Amino acid sequence: MIRKFGLAALACALLAIPAASQVQPPAAPAAATPATPAPGTEAPVSGSTTPALTAADLGAWLDGYFPGALKAGKIAGAQIVVVKDGQILVKKGYGYADVAKKAAMDPDRNLMRIGSTSKLLTWTAVMQQVEAGKIDLNADINRYLDFKITPKSGRAITMNDLMMHRGGFEEGIKDLLDTDPKRFKTTERYLKENPRPMLFPAGTVPAYSNYGVSVAGYIVQRVSGEPFADYVARHILAPLKMNRTTFVQPLPPALAGSQSQGYRQSDEPPAKFELVTTAPAGSVSTTAADMANFMIAQLQDGRLGDAQILQPQTVQLMHRPETQPRAGFDTLAHGFFYGDRNGRLVLGHGGDTIVFHTDLNILPAEKVGIYVSFNSRGTNDAVYGVRSRLFDLFMDRYFPATPRADQPAIAGAAQHAAALAGNYESSRRVESGFISLFYLLQQDKVVADDDGTISVSSIEDKRFRETAPNLWHEVGGTQQLQVADVAGRRTIIDSANPVSFLQAVPAARNAGLNLWIAGLSVLVLLATTLLWPIAASFRRIYALPITVTGRAALARRLTRIAAIGDLLYLAGWYTILSPILESKVDVYNSGLDGWVRTMQVAAIIPIVGAAIGLWNAYLHFQPGRGWASKVRSIGVALALLGIAWIAWMGGLMSFNLNY
């Protein structure tokens, strides 16, 4: 659920379990890897000999990569395991599971929170129930639920839709993650009390949804007749000898003593244990050793030793997308992210809580799997770069790509780039409630570059050239962007991100426009508020006459009061929204409802303020008023209108407590 995008902290909040390893992360900070690569950490150059993937070579390569990367990124510890041909090739721990105690990271003993990588266990459970004939991938999910989910329009939502993140759900943050067990909701209670609004018709637009995955896990519980965590323990974990893995939160006593601490960064105190309410979407605690068994079973058609958790044909279905994607574009294969890396098929899933960060990838044809988990976010979110660079270097070292020449741009590419330029919003977003303010003020920006290429703000340090109509290739790389019309909106489809689209924003939602409105309005209201006592002091000091009386004087006084009221109104909302900027997601629960409701009722302040501002401007256009006075009154009226506009568009005037 967490990736950096736009307002970075909101990405943290939304949601502590991220979209997937294959979604392109931020580039690694310069300090995230050693300044001089250790032997074996460089990608092979054309004409060089590809090293064999052996325990000796891989172990030395990892020893060269991890210590410097962890130290530079202020990441406390990590564990990694690589499997090959049904065996563990390398299994290592680096750094500390507990910094204060100087407890070394142990990949056999220390449990890590793996966030959205948990989804792979949930989808495996779903496929077991498909195999048992208890779930039909193409049936209306309401068949299996004891509450009703109403799709936006068109056909019903199916399990296939949930597995493809195309259920149509809007994002949400309330009750998503907590640190207080007394306040913690069960998944069933969360699903029923926090239903997500629908943004899209089922099956049309991808929008990564932890809510949707939790619905799938709840369906497993319903059709199997067993509590979800118990079901997974009996039917997946026990057969695979994953004895140090659990969905249970807080950890059961037998495992609690071996949990790795989690850190914002290694020089800070450890964070509290994160309770993930959407448990099937991201609550697993596990070890690298256990995840090795899971990868081996997935690479061996569902088998580990004598245990068979899925039949070979079911595993093959799970690893195959429902429909084949366009060449070079990633998709989802019944829960796994499915894509090409260096000419090899890679299936995987990443996962993050606020402090733990994980990635799992398997190469079915090569019978190779790699799993890594970090227990710190790191300085400046360094873990994202460290994690993505690790897998890129692993692939480039042991499975290098064949070099490809860039394709030339088509005629008219520069004009097409100019037409594409503008603001876009992710299909994975919130439009209901006050959290939507972030999506109103921060959006992706597509820029037409001078050389006819385009750049996308969320895809850092990359440019794209149009090589076929509406198809843009990364310059010097393999990523692609497809431009299409989806439901009447210009849409950019990223080949590396199958769980969300970028959609052109309507003019009223344009972040550039709304940021100007918000910024200028606040500046004008601050100036109005500050100049009021200054002007009063000048009149007293210099005995200046009062030039405005009657209704005009009252209107001016009320306008200044309205300016103060609007600033206090914004300050009140800032106290509610500011925890997101520090990734304090556990603040957002029913305990905040009273303050949120108070601020929703306080929407009367900007509404009345805008009316007062217009009245004041009207009175200033009566005979005898100078142009300077008229301009000032118009400016203040527009500022008061601007705050009301932002409050309306940003969801601050909504009475929705399900955000």
Side-chain angles (χ1 to χ4, degrees):
M1 301 185 215
I2 300 175
R3 283 279 184 205
K4 277 174 46 175
F5 73 94
L7 277 100
L10 182 62
C12 252
L14 285 173
L15 280 100
I17 304 157
S21 60
Q22 285 77 1
V23 178
Q24 291 298 314
T33 52
T36 302
T41 62
E42 310 88 343
V45 298
S46 180
S48 65
T49 301
T50 301
L53 180 56
T54 64
D57 188 86
L58 177 61
W61 180 77
L62 293 173
D63 288 346
Y65 180 81
F66 269 98
L70 298 185
K71 181 179 179 181
K74 292 187 177 180
I75 299 168
Q79 49 183 249
I80 184 169
V81 64
V82 176
V83 301
K84 180 183 179 185
D85 297 327
Q87 301 293 325
I88 292 177
L89 188 67
V90 167
K91 178 178 58 181
K92 285 177 173 283
Y94 294 94
Y96 296 110
D98 189 315
V99 173
K101 295 179 180 178
K102 299 295 182 185
M105 180 66 75
D106 184 341
D108 290 300
R109 179 178 182 275
N110 293 128
L111 278 71
M112 308 281 270
R113 307 303 306 283
I114 65 171
S116 276
T117 308
S118 308
K119 291 178 172 68
L120 296 179
L121 292 166
T122 297
W123 297 131
T124 300
V126 167
M127 296 306 290
Q128 286 181 333
Q129 293 303 300
V130 170
E131 188 173 276
K134 294 183 178 181
I135 293 177
D136 181 342
L137 291 174
N138 296 305
D140 182 347
I141 57 173
N142 285 308
R143 174 191 296 184
Y144 310 111
L145 296 172
D146 58 348
F147 65 100
K148 186 174 179 58
I149 296 178
T150 304
K152 185 176 180 65
S153 61
R155 66 168 176 78
I157 302 168
T158 69
M159 184 63 74
N160 260 329
D161 293 328
L162 300 183
M163 299 183 99
M164 291 286 290
H165 291 280
R166 291 180 183 244
F169 298 106
E170 181 180 303
E171 267 291 13
I173 187 174
K174 185 179 181 181
D175 292 325
L176 182 69
L177 186 146
D178 214 325
T179 54
D180 183 355
K182 295 179 182 178
R183 206 167 45 210
F184 186 52
K185 289 184 178 182
T186 64
T187 299
E188 177 181 358
R189 185 179 162 200
Y190 172 82
L191 293 175
K192 293 177 178 179
E193 294 182 2
N194 301 69
R196 301 312 309 140
M198 306 303 295
L199 274 182
F200 310 106
T204 59
V205 176
Y208 190 85
S209 175
N210 293 288
Y211 186 88
V213 180
S214 296
V215 169
Y218 183 57
I219 288 173
V220 170
Q221 176 172 304
R222 295 267 302 158
V223 301
S224 70
E226 301 179 58
F228 178 74
D230 293 347
Y231 175 88
V232 173
R234 284 188 59 203
H235 299 278
I236 299 175
L237 304 182
L240 297 184
K241 296 180 172 58
M242 297 174 68
N243 300 320
R244 302 187 69 75
T245 301
T246 183
F247 271 95
V248 175
Q249 305 172 98
L251 287 176
L255 298 175
S258 53
Q259 170 72 40
S260 169
Q261 298 284 5
Y263 301 86
R264 295 294 181 119
Q265 55 187 54
S266 57
D267 57 356
E268 294 183 1
K272 294 180 180 179
F273 187 88
E274 299 162 309
L275 301 164
V276 180
T277 312
T278 52
S283 72
V284 166
S285 299
T286 188
T287 65
D290 276 12
M291 292 307 291
N293 289 354
F294 179 76
M295 290 191 293
I296 290 170
Q298 288 288 340
L299 289 165
Q300 294 188 154
D301 287 335
R303 178 180 56 80
L304 180 75
D306 296 330
Q308 189 82 41
I309 61 167
L310 288 171
Q311 293 303 309
Q313 61 270 27
T314 308
V315 175
Q316 292 159 19
L317 173 62
M318 187 176 185
H319 291 182
R320 187 172 65 241
E322 190 72 11
T323 57
Q324 283 298 316
R326 183 184 181 122
F329 280 72
D330 289 0
T331 187
L332 284 157
H334 296 95
F336 276 97
F337 280 70
Y338 176 104
D340 179 294
R341 294 295 177 270
N342 291 2
R344 272 82 173 179
L345 171 62
V346 175
L347 302 174
H349 212 301
D352 308 64
T353 68
I354 299 298
V355 292
F356 286 92
H357 306 272
T358 301
D359 201 12
L360 180 152
N361 291 287
I362 60 174
L363 287 72
E366 289 74 19
K367 301 296 181 184
V368 168
I370 176 172
Y371 163 91
V372 63
S373 190
F374 301 85
N375 67 356
S376 312
R377 193 173 191 82
T379 182
N380 297 320
D381 298 336
V383 71
Y384 294 113
V386 174
R387 181 175 63 181
S388 63
R389 182 166 170 79
L390 170 70
F391 185 62
D392 288 345
L393 289 174
F394 175 83
M395 290 299 295
D396 288 343
R397 179 170 179 79
Y398 297 109
F399 306 101
T402 302
R404 300 178 184 177
D406 280 346
Q407 300 179 47
I410 64 172
Q415 292 87 344
H416 299 162
L420 278 179
N423 283 62
Y424 293 76
E425 59 187 358
S426 171
S427 58
R428 184 192 185 191
R429 63 179 182 268
V430 176
E431 285 192 2
S432 302
F434 64 89
I435 296 297
S436 63
L437 178 67
F438 287 102
Y439 294 87
L440 179 70
L441 299 181
Q442 184 70 45
Q443 295 157 358
D444 272 288
K445 192 174 184 65
V446 174
V447 176
D449 301 315
D450 293 339
D451 60 357
T453 60
I454 61 171
S455 303
V456 183
S457 58
S458 60
I459 307 175
E460 298 179 8
D461 302 321
K462 291 186 179 182
R463 293 179 297 116
F464 296 85
R465 176 185 294 124
E466 191 177 23
T467 58
N470 295 317
L471 184 65
W472 299 74
H473 271 81
E474 177 191 353
V475 177
T478 59
Q479 196 168 350
Q480 302 176 69
L481 304 176
Q482 175 73 48
V483 180
D485 183 288
V486 178
R489 295 182 68 176
R490 185 169 68 239
T491 299
I492 295 177
I493 303 168
D494 182 353
S495 68
N497 184 358
V499 291
S500 67
F501 288 167
L502 289 178
Q503 300 178 303
V505 298
R509 285 186 57 83
N510 185 284
L513 170 66
N514 286 295
L515 279 169
W516 274 105
I517 291 174
L520 289 175
S521 296
V522 169
L523 286 175
V524 169
L525 296 185
L526 280 171
T528 300
T529 300
L530 294 173
L531 288 174
W532 187 4
I534 294 174
S537 298
F538 265 84
R539 282 197 303 272
R540 286 194 299 270
I541 293 171
Y542 296 103
L544 298 176
I546 296 175
T547 58
V548 180
T549 59
R551 288 194 307 163
L554 174 62
R556 186 168 69 176
R557 188 176 303 111
L558 289 176
T559 299
R560 290 164 173 169
I561 293 172
I564 295 172
D566 272 14
L567 292 174
L568 292 174
Y569 172 77
L570 294 177
W573 273 114
Y574 179 78
T575 63
I576 293 174
L577 293 165
S578 59
I580 293 178
L581 304 178
E582 300 176 21
S583 309
K584 294 180 178 177
V585 188
D586 59 320
V587 170
Y588 298 98
N589 54 64
S590 57
L592 195 63
D593 285 356
W595 184 228
V596 172
R597 181 65 82 206
T598 298
M599 291 308 304
Q600 289 172 339
V601 172
I604 192 68
I605 294 173
I607 294 172
V608 171
I612 290 171
L614 291 172
W615 180 47
N616 181 59
Y618 168 76
L619 293 177
H620 272 74
F621 274 78
Q622 302 302 309
R625 306 308 302 271
W627 279 106
S629 177
K630 293 176 181 179
V631 169
R632 284 196 301 271
S633 70
I634 292 173
V636 175
L638 289 175
L640 291 167
L641 279 170
I643 297 301
W645 168 262
I646 294 298
W648 171 256
M649 292 298 295
L652 305 187
M653 291 184 179
S654 164
F655 275 80
N656 178 19
L657 288 175
N658 179 23
Y659 48 85

